[in-house]
Amino acid sequence: CHILKAGSSDRPGPSLHGLFGRRASTAPGYAYSTPMRESGVVWNDTTLDHYIAAPQRYIPGNAMSFQGIADKPARQRLVAYLKEATR
């Protein structure tokens, strides 16, 4: 659903390039849901871990149709990968 490189795409989700340290809903070229725009979340290891665990619980009403990943070690590996891959 997302790309890791800079720029827009035809994918359902926004580019994750530059994700860490970025405020939620600020990647250009994507129409974010109101809950995401109003969340005030700044993406870092902790916020991303919580979001990946349960997106609808962390930001209720957001448009991402993903159930989440309950396994904490799997989330930690994903966050570490994204931290490198989205630079």
Side-chain angles (χ1 to χ4, degrees):
C1 293
H2 299 274
I3 61 172
L4 303 177
K5 62 183 180 179
S8 61
S9 76
D10 58 355
R11 302 275 180 120
S15 168
L16 299 180
H17 180 74
L19 179 67
F20 286 79
R22 184 172 77 202
R23 185 173 176 195
S25 74
T26 59
Y30 186 77
Y32 290 92
S33 65
T34 299
M36 187 63 78
R37 285 192 315 270
E38 294 176 352
S39 71
V41 170
V42 174
W43 298 118
N44 59 43
D45 293 33
T46 302
T47 57
L48 193 56
D49 176 63
H50 290 302
Y51 185 72
I52 292 170
Q56 290 300 325
R57 192 171 359 149
Y58 192 65
I59 302 175
N62 81 79
M64 190 159 117
S65 59
F66 173 66
Q67 295 300 311
I69 299 173
D71 183 64
K72 186 162 182 78
R75 287 195 319 271
Q76 290 173 328
R77 289 190 301 272
L78 179 56
V79 169
Y81 168 77
L82 289 171
K83 196 170 196 175
E84 288 298 316
T86 60
R87 286 182 184 207

